[in-house]
């Protein structure tokens, strides 16, 4: 008959003073790490991060602007078409599929602050620091690498944003800045303006669901 007795020294697990931290039992086996689960979790997270790093999510870049891009807009009918406006007043139209610049034009003196396109996709509006509203024929931009605006309207106030009313036959657009103006593309003056004291409106957008 064999009897095994477990013997523990109280000094290994009892506190010497009441203010001491409780002593925890330690296993000297190097394979039994006290933070094995935490180490496994960290290793799994690092593996996932490395997998994402080497997945190459970067698809491509559209190079050509000499200054920073400030605004962008998409074409409502042609998904690959994207229009961008830069801080130097340059306006570019891109084909995202081929990553090529289809058109480039000096639109404004200073920042291009806002872009708006109608639902039909044939009229593009842009505003800038020069307080000008420029109207562009989208079909001309798709066919010619350099174009000029078909119509320009001079505003009496600072312009920081623009949007076209969503509707198939709509000819109304809105601008914002020191005031919010409601415009008609056939007139050189806003139909109505709204102001809220000294506040400056930086952006606006029409409701595309309740467009009337």
């Amino acid at each position: 008959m064999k009897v095994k007795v477990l013997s523990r020294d109280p000094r290994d697990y009892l506190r010497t003073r009441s203010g001491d931290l409780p002593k925890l039992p330690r296993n000297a086996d190097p394979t039994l790490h006290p933070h094995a689960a935490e180490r496994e979790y960290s290793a799994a997270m690092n593996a996932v991060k490395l997998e994402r790093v080497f997945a190459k999510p970067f698809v491509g870049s559209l190079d050509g602007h000499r200054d920073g891009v400030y605004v962008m807009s998409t074409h409502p009918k042609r998904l690959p078409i994207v229009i961008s406006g830069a801080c130097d007043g340059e306006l570019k139209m891109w084909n995202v599929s081929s990553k090529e610049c289809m058109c480039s034009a000096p639109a404004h003196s200073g920042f291009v602050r806002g872009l708006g396109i109608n639902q039909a996709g044939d009229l593009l509006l842009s505003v800038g620091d020069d307080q000008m509203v420029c109207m562009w024929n989208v079909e001309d931009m798709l066919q010619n690498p350099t174009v000029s605006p078909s119509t320009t309207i001079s505003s009496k106030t600072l312009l920081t944003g623009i949007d076209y009313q969503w509707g198939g036959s709509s000819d109304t657009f809105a601008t914002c800045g020191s005031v919010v103006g409601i415009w008609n593309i056939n007139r050189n003056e806003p139909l109505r303006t709204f102001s809220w004291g000294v506040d400056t409106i930086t952006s606006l957008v029409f409701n595309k669901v309740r467009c009337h």
Side-chain angles (χ1 to χ4, degrees), residues 133-206:
V133 179
C134 296
M135 302 183 186
W136 308 82
N137 189 306
V138 177
E139 293 300 325
D140 291 345
M141 298 180 71
L142 292 172
Q143 299 174 4
N144 302 317
T146 57
V147 295
S148 300
S150 57
T151 308
T152 58
I153 301 175
S154 178
S155 173
K156 297 179 180 179
T157 59
L158 176 68
L159 300 176
T160 58
I162 189 170
D163 193 31
Y164 207 101
Q165 185 180 19
W166 201 250
S169 59
S170 175
D171 54 2
T172 303
F173 66 93
T175 60
C176 66
S178 55
V179 298
V180 173
I182 307 299
W183 301 72
N184 186 289
I185 60 174
N186 300 314
R187 298 186 61 177
N188 293 330
E189 296 289 337
L191 302 176
R192 192 168 182 181
T193 59
F194 304 89
S195 62
W196 291 268
V198 296
D199 293 337
T200 299
I201 311 300
T202 56
S203 64
L204 83 167
V205 63
F206 274 102

Side-chain angles (χ1 to χ4, degrees), residues 79-154:
L79 294 180
I81 303 301
V82 174
I83 305 100
S84 61
C87 299
D88 58 355
E90 188 177 29
L91 191 68
K92 285 183 178 290
M93 179 175 285
W94 306 87
N95 187 321
V96 178
S97 299
S98 61
K99 301 180 182 63
E100 295 179 352
C101 178
M102 306 180 65
C103 179
S104 179
H108 298 276
S109 299
F111 280 50
V112 180
R113 292 291 181 179
L115 296 172
I117 190 169
N118 63 346
Q119 187 176 4
D122 56 2
L123 182 62
L124 174 69
L125 305 177
S126 66
V127 294
D129 285 347
D130 53 2
Q131 301 183 5
M132 299 293 293
V133 179
C134 296
M135 302 183 186
W136 308 82
N137 189 306
V138 177
E139 293 300 325
D140 291 345
M141 298 180 71
L142 292 172
Q143 299 174 4
N144 302 317
T146 57
V147 295
S148 300
S150 57
T151 308
T152 58
I153 301 175
S154 178

